[in-house]
Amino acid sequence: MTLFKQIALILSLFLLIILTTVLALNFKSANKGVQERLYDDAKNTATSLSLYLGSANGDTTMMSTMINANFDGGNYNHIALIDVDDKILYDRKIESNLSNIPKWFISFVNLQAPLAYANVSAGWKQVGILKVQGDATYAYKQLYAIFINLLISFAFIAVIALGALHLLLLAILKPLKVVQKQAAAITRHEFIVQKNIPYTKEFRDVVLGMNTMVTKVKAMFDKGNDELRAQKELEYIDKSTQLKNRKYLTDKLPSYLKIDSSYKGGVNMIVALNGVIEANEKIGRMRVNRLFVTIANIFSTQTKDVKDAIIARLNGTEFALFLPNYSNENAIELAKNIRQACNVAIEGAELDITQTVISIGVYEYKNTDTVSELFARSDNALAQAKFNLQHIHIEKADCAIEVMGKEAWKLLINKAIKKDRFTFVSWSVIDTKAKKLFHHVLSIQLTLDKNTSYSYAQFMAPAIQTGLSVNIYKKVLSMLLRHSSMLLSTSTYSLRLPYEYLEANDTYNELSDLLRANAATLNFKIIIELPDKLIRQDSKLIREYVALFRKFGINIGIFEFIGESDDYQYLQDLRPIYIKGESSYFLTQSDQSLSALRLITDTVGMSLIAVGVMDIQTLEKLQSRGIYVIQGKVTEELDLDAS
């Protein structure tokens, strides 16, 4: 219960008690007054009537006439004349009519009309005793009218008082509402500084304290952001040419060399400049460095139309042109154009192209290659090019024998989509420091029947080639959300959503409808993992996705993170709960870069998760660098804390 409700409840109860007490006292006073008046009326009537009866000289007929006249003209319940021998000379009585008075009120008041007595004498002779009792009906009606008026007054005063109390509390506690919003924002790792400082001393001290804390945390985040950007420049950018370097290419390649990559393959081109030592001696290091800048500009110009191309300087004399989804025929033509343009630049620098030689090795890779295989075969192509008359050599990846052709895969996958032939498998993400399960990672497999199934690695590559990957994820998400009982555990699961699925035109609307209809009935928690390639754009689309997931209580995570953004403010704005990167990325970062990244994640409450951890040795290296949450084959060897 909020402080406002607690104070309002206490003060309202106090006010109601006071008003109820006043009501009770007023009614008690009115009740006493009515009863006294009832007795006084009866006493006065008895006294005055006894005098009239005395003038009748004992004539019973005359006295009865007098009694009837008084009885009919007043509010009496009983008038009786009794002689000295206790014999009733005359008696007049009526039953009280209380039909218009509620029974509960009669029981509550329980009013008794008192009896008044007076002696009746004719001269010195006593005729008898006159008894007069007023009619309680009149008293009940008076008291009931008073009670209703008191209730109306009470209700009116209570409504006015409670309304005034509500407005007063709102005015007094308004600064507290702002403090509450600021505190809630802090728990969500949002940096909000309150500019309107309350006048109330206690509230003012709290707001100033929270502002100071938020300012310090924001300063820590900004410091980490600036430092990480600076380290990115140092670790990922070649100072001379402003191209990416070998480390960037190495960290980036895993996002292309995987089963569910957007591209089946492409070309990796290594360009080497031989004879640099001789060139330095001939024209000087400064002019040679300018030559490298010119050559770097040639690479950028020649590949400007290649989507997702990466140009990197591998070392002092070698460059890599990584060209996804690029054919070997185009690569040969590109290599010739590059070599020709570079030769012009070399001659322009007053160097001999027979001594300062450009060699180009071209390797046509597949997305199933490893990083080491890609570099080894690219280096082999370059070595062959150096001994080639044209100084250009192409080497193709070994063609894997396909079990099924494209059309067969297309039919099989379409059948699986139509008949819901997908099942979920999961593996663990472990916090090795706490020795506890962090969450489960979901993957999918295609199961045609009891004897025939295909792993994610087997069917996703042909699915991408046939353009069915988006349809698969539509079906899988529909199955997961509509039939949550498919997962036996009530734990937390994460599911990666690929770039192509999220970018599809109708994905957002379909996902909105699915969540609206099924999110409330899920028997497990789900984390949606988004690619850093998409989320770092901080576009309107990604903000809509994040808002959608947050609306239904779904957290987001980031995968394929290598810290290549120009600004990490998006981490604070979008607030993922963790960042996943390859174990090799965390192990090859400098201490300064990793410290800056951890400063950012700590200030906004994010975890760092290393994926692809295959052995204990890698795990120990990660732990020595402060990375404790891991995903990979090694988790099968770890024991968890039973508690």
Side-chain angles (χ1 to χ4, degrees):
M1 185 181 291
T2 64
L3 178 61
F4 175 85
K5 289 181 179 179
Q6 291 181 43
I7 295 176
L9 180 61
I10 292 172
L11 292 180
S12 298
L13 288 174
F14 183 68
L15 179 62
L16 290 175
I17 289 172
I18 291 176
L19 291 175
T20 304
T21 302
V22 172
L23 172 68
L25 291 175
N26 284 339
F27 183 74
K28 184 177 180 181
S29 176
N31 188 5
K32 183 179 179 181
V34 168
Q35 293 205 46
E36 289 177 349
R37 182 180 175 184
L38 194 63
Y39 175 75
D40 290 341
D41 288 347
K43 184 65 177 174
N44 292 335
T45 300
T47 301
S48 60
L49 182 58
S50 65
L51 295 175
Y52 285 113
L53 293 177
S55 63
N57 295 316
D59 187 347
T60 304
T61 303
M62 186 177 292
M63 287 191 293
S64 63
T65 302
M66 292 179 180
I67 291 173
N68 287 336
N70 275 272
F71 193 90
D72 293 337
N75 294 303
Y76 304 103
N77 182 56
H78 186 202
I79 296 179
L81 179 62
I82 303 172
D83 64 11
V84 293
D85 297 324
D86 288 333
K87 181 181 178 182
I88 298 175
L89 299 176
Y90 187 76
D91 186 24
R92 182 74 184 271
K93 188 176 184 180
I94 63 169
E95 293 293 331
S96 298
N97 182 14
L98 300 176
S99 59
N100 294 329
I101 308 298
K103 291 183 179 180
W104 63 265
F105 184 78
I106 297 172
S107 300
F108 173 70
V109 174
N110 193 23
L111 184 66
Q112 298 295 328
L115 287 169
Y117 299 88
N119 291 320
V120 180
S121 301
W124 293 102
K125 181 182 178 182
Q126 184 175 358
V127 178
I129 297 174
L130 180 68
K131 293 197 301 184
V132 179
Q133 185 180 33
D135 189 0
T137 302
Y138 176 73
Y140 273 116
K141 289 180 179 180
Q142 267 195 319
L143 283 175
Y144 186 67
I146 292 171
F147 181 73
I148 294 299
N149 288 333
L150 284 174
L151 277 182
I152 293 173
S153 301
F154 170 82
F156 179 76
I157 294 172
V159 169
I160 296 298
L162 291 175
L165 176 64
H166 180 80
L167 295 175
L168 182 62
L169 285 176
L170 282 178
I172 294 175
L173 298 179
K174 184 178 180 181
L176 184 61
K177 200 73 175 177
V178 179
V179 172
Q180 181 187 10
K181 288 182 179 179
Q182 189 178 24
I186 290 174
T187 62
R188 298 192 302 269
H189 305 288
E190 295 178 10
F191 305 140
I192 297 177
V193 176
Q194 178 54 247
K195 295 181 180 179
N196 296 324
I197 308 300
Y199 293 106
T200 307
K201 183 180 184 303
E202 291 79 3
F203 291 158
R204 182 173 68 249
D205 292 343
V206 171
V207 169
L208 291 175
M210 294 176 71
N211 279 351
T212 301
M213 180 183 67
V214 167
T215 302
K216 289 181 178 179
V217 174
K218 182 68 167 64
M220 290 172 62
F221 180 89
D222 292 340
K223 180 181 177 182
N225 191 8
D226 293 339
E227 189 172 339
L228 192 57
R229 281 188 294 180
Q231 289 298 321
K232 188 205 76 168
E233 294 292 327
L234 293 174
E235 297 200 7
Y236 281 166
I237 304 297
D238 177 65
K239 291 182 179 179
S240 299
T241 61
Q242 296 301 302
L243 296 177
K244 304 295 186 182
N245 59 17
R246 185 185 184 94
K247 186 178 186 314
Y248 175 84
L249 182 62
T250 303
D251 289 341
K252 189 69 176 174
L253 282 176
S255 63
Y256 293 95
L257 303 180
K258 60 178 184 175
I259 293 299
D260 57 351
S261 171
S262 302
Y263 307 111
K264 180 182 178 182
V267 165
N268 187 50
M269 190 179 296
I270 305 293
V271 182
L273 183 63
N274 303 107
V276 174
I277 296 176
E278 293 79 1
N280 283 332
E281 293 175 353
K282 185 174 182 179
I283 63 174
R285 185 177 297 276
M286 294 290 291
R287 292 186 64 186
V288 171
N289 286 340
R290 286 198 293 270
L291 174 61
F292 277 124
V293 172
T294 302
I295 290 174
N297 291 335
I298 291 172
F299 296 154
S300 299
T301 302
Q302 293 289 336
T303 59
K304 64 181 181 180
D305 295 327
V306 182
K307 185 180 179 182
D308 294 332
I310 301 174
I311 306 171
R313 189 174 186 179
L314 301 180
N315 53 48
T317 61
E318 294 182 357
F319 299 84
L321 281 69
F322 184 77
L323 311 173
N325 204 32
Y326 207 69
S327 67
N328 59 343
E329 293 84 1
N330 291 334
I332 293 297
E333 187 65 27
L334 177 63
K336 290 178 180 179
N337 292 338
I338 287 175
R339 190 167 190 279
Q340 182 179 356
C342 288
N343 283 338
V344 172
I346 291 170
E347 290 177 338
E350 299 179 355
L351 293 172
D352 188 346
I353 61 173
T354 61
Q355 296 179 356
T356 307
V357 181
I358 288 288
S359 300
I360 303 176
V362 180
Y363 171 58
E364 184 186 24
Y365 76 90
K366 286 187 174 293
N367 62 335
T368 53
D369 288 343
T370 64
V371 174
S372 58
E373 287 173 344
L374 182 138
F375 276 122
R377 292 174 182 176
S378 298
D379 288 339
N380 183 61
L382 177 62
Q384 297 294 327
K386 289 180 179 180
F387 297 100
N388 189 308
L389 291 177
Q390 294 182 339
H391 293 287
I392 296 174
H393 179 78
I394 185 167
E395 182 172 325
K396 297 183 179 181
D398 297 331
C399 295
I401 299 175
E402 291 189 10
V403 177
M404 290 186 290
K406 281 187 178 181
E407 288 302 316
W409 272 114
K410 188 174 182 179
L411 290 173
L412 187 149
I413 293 171
N414 276 325
K415 179 181 178 182
I417 293 173
K418 184 178 180 181
K419 296 189 176 182
D420 296 352
R421 298 297 188 183
F422 294 99
T423 55
F424 294 97
V425 293
S426 67
W427 60 91
S428 302
V429 176
I430 304 295
D431 183 342
T432 59
K433 188 174 185 179
K435 294 185 178 181
K436 292 186 179 295
L437 177 71
F438 199 75
H439 66 259
H440 294 287
V441 176
L442 283 180
S443 184
I444 50 178
Q445 65 181 16
L446 191 158
T447 305
L448 288 181
D449 50 50
K450 293 182 179 180
N451 301 318
T452 308
S453 64
Y454 299 92
S455 68
Y456 183 86
Q458 289 175 306
F459 74 81
M460 187 50 70
I464 293 172
Q465 295 169 29
T466 54
L468 294 174
S469 62
V470 172
N471 292 341
I472 288 177
Y473 273 94
K474 288 181 179 180
K475 173 57 67 174
V476 165
L477 275 168
S478 175
M479 293 172 61
L480 178 65
L481 295 176
R482 290 177 177 169
H483 309 290
S484 57
S485 58
M486 294 178 69
L487 301 180
L488 299 178
S489 173
T490 57
S491 183
T492 301
Y493 294 88
S494 69
L495 179 67
R496 288 187 174 187
L497 297 184
Y499 188 91
E500 294 75 17
Y501 169 73
L502 295 167
E503 286 278 278
N505 292 332
D506 54 353
T507 293
Y508 179 83
N509 292 332
E510 291 182 357
L511 196 52
S512 298
D513 294 338
L514 272 174
L515 290 173
R516 193 177 299 109
N518 304 286
T521 60
L522 293 179
N523 58 3
F524 56 86
K525 293 182 179 179
I526 187 168
I527 303 168
I528 298 297
E529 294 185 4
L530 306 175
D532 188 57
K533 175 183 178 181
L534 176 65
I535 201 169
R536 71 170 180 265
Q537 296 174 8
D538 200 8
S539 62
K540 179 182 177 183
L541 176 63
I542 195 62
R543 284 182 175 269
E544 288 176 347
Y545 273 121
V546 172
L548 174 66
F549 296 140
R550 195 163 290 153
K551 176 182 178 182
F552 294 102
I554 298 174
N555 290 316
I556 65 166
I558 294 178
F559 68 93
E560 293 182 350
F561 181 86
I562 63 167
E564 61 176 312
S565 177
D566 293 328
D567 189 355
Y568 299 92
Q569 182 63 40
Y570 73 95
L571 295 177
Q572 198 278 321
D573 294 339
L574 303 179
R575 301 188 307 282
I577 61 171
Y578 60 71
I579 291 174
K580 285 185 177 180
E582 291 289 331
S583 57
S584 58
Y585 165 73
F586 292 113
L587 292 176
T588 57
Q589 292 297 295
S590 67
D591 292 339
Q592 293 84 351
S593 290
L594 202 54
S595 177
L597 178 59
R598 192 177 289 109
L599 182 60
I600 288 176
T601 56
D602 287 348
T603 54
V604 291
M606 290 184 291
S607 301
L608 294 175
I609 302 178
V611 302
V613 185
M614 306 304 290
D615 51 56
I616 295 295
Q617 292 76 16
T618 303
L619 172 59
E620 291 173 348
K621 291 177 182 178
L622 288 166
Q623 290 175 329
S624 68
R625 308 212 70 191
I627 308 297
Y628 296 100
V629 186
I630 56 101
Q631 172 183 322
K633 189 176 181 181
V634 74
T635 57
E636 300 172 3
E637 305 176 33
L638 302 178
D639 295 324
L640 301 182
D641 191 339
S643 61

